[in-house]
Amino acid sequence: MTTANLHPRLTVVGHPLVQHKLTLLRQRETSTGEFRRLAREISLLMAYEVTRDLPLETRRIETPLEPMDSPILSGKKLCFVSILRAGDGILEGMLDLVPSARVGHIGLYRDPTTLAPVEYYLKLPEDVRSRLAVVVDPMLATGHSAAAAVERVKQAGAEQISFACLLAAPEGLSIMAEAHPEVPVFTCAVDRCLDDHAYIRPGLGDAGDRLYGTK
């Protein structure tokens, strides 16, 4: 199955450094501190791809030698929206690249019986409607939390939205394609499937627990 069959606007970031660091991230023996560092490094590299099409304008500046017309980002910058809690594990790397970006948070947890997302927190910048909103979460597993988060960002008025994750499952991509086919999805890899507990296989385990050492 090609990526186009999984989601019409899917980008798999295949840069060798991203793939190398992802392999280290997956390993069972990777420590909490190392996992956190790798996730931050990968997300910074991913941010280059996520921001590739940001609009530019020209500004007149003075170099030490002479004036010139030089490109600079146009209009409002980015807003990163982290799906708590694991989303913060890749939020920080993206902020390393774009420190001026605004930040929003959406608190969602997965009901253990129905697997449906339940919202418990929402805080977004007031001007999110005039920014590119990048919703971030390490894993796109069932896709229900990601789709719900994107819907809440849409309800807040945002018209430019992307979604970024470290790993995706075909099932999650299918849900995102059905709910938000126009929203670009960026990931480092598309894994085989979900298991009976909605974990991505082969995956990397529970991203939140591995980021924060809670299991």
Side-chain angles (χ1 to χ4, degrees):
M1 182 179 292
T2 65
T3 57
N5 296 129
L6 295 171
H7 190 286
R9 302 196 65 185
L10 173 64
T11 297
V12 178
V13 182
H15 191 285
L17 283 176
V18 169
Q19 294 303 312
H20 171 78
K21 292 175 185 293
L22 180 60
T23 294
L24 300 178
L25 196 74
R26 289 181 187 270
Q27 292 178 152
R28 180 194 298 268
E29 64 268 24
T30 298
S31 68
T32 297
E34 184 72 358
F35 189 96
R36 192 179 299 140
R37 181 183 66 80
L38 286 164
R40 187 168 185 151
E41 291 175 353
I42 293 171
S43 60
L44 186 151
L45 293 168
M46 285 188 70
Y48 281 99
E49 193 65 42
V50 173
T51 58
R52 180 179 294 276
D53 295 324
L54 288 178
L56 294 171
E57 61 185 26
T58 300
R59 176 180 295 178
R60 191 71 170 173
I61 65 168
E62 294 279 347
T63 78
L65 300 177
E66 65 181 49
M68 69 170 291
D69 295 320
S70 190
I72 194 167
L73 288 176
S74 176
K76 297 277 189 179
K77 308 303 189 296
L78 298 173
C79 171
F80 294 119
V81 182
S82 170
I83 300 178
L84 296 172
R85 65 181 167 148
D88 282 1
I90 59 175
L91 168 67
E92 296 303 323
M94 294 193 172
L95 285 174
D96 286 343
L97 185 67
V98 195
S100 63
R102 299 292 189 268
V103 175
H105 288 91
I106 297 179
L108 295 168
Y109 68 88
R110 191 168 60 192
D111 184 282
T113 303
T114 66
L115 302 182
V118 180
E119 181 183 311
Y120 64 88
Y121 183 80
L122 177 68
K123 185 71 172 182
L124 300 173
E126 291 183 358
D127 62 351
V128 68
R129 67 181 61 246
S130 60
R131 297 175 180 270
L132 167 61
V134 182
V135 180
V136 298
D137 197 16
M139 315 293 276
L140 179 60
T142 67
H144 297 302
S145 293
V150 169
E151 183 60 33
R152 294 295 277 124
V153 174
K154 283 183 176 180
Q155 291 172 1
E159 298 179 354
Q160 300 179 73
I161 305 171
S162 295
F163 180 82
C165 60
L166 299 178
L167 290 181
E171 295 90 336
L173 288 167
S174 176
I175 291 294
M176 284 291 284
E178 180 180 350
H180 308 290
E182 81 289 356
V183 172
V185 175
F186 297 85
T187 189
C188 301
V190 179
D191 277 11
R192 185 178 69 251
C193 65
L194 297 181
D195 64 18
D196 292 340
H197 301 286
Y199 279 93
I200 298 176
R201 295 288 184 138
L204 50 74
D206 187 294
D209 285 337
R210 295 196 70 188
L211 277 163
Y212 303 116
T214 47
K215 183 176 290 186

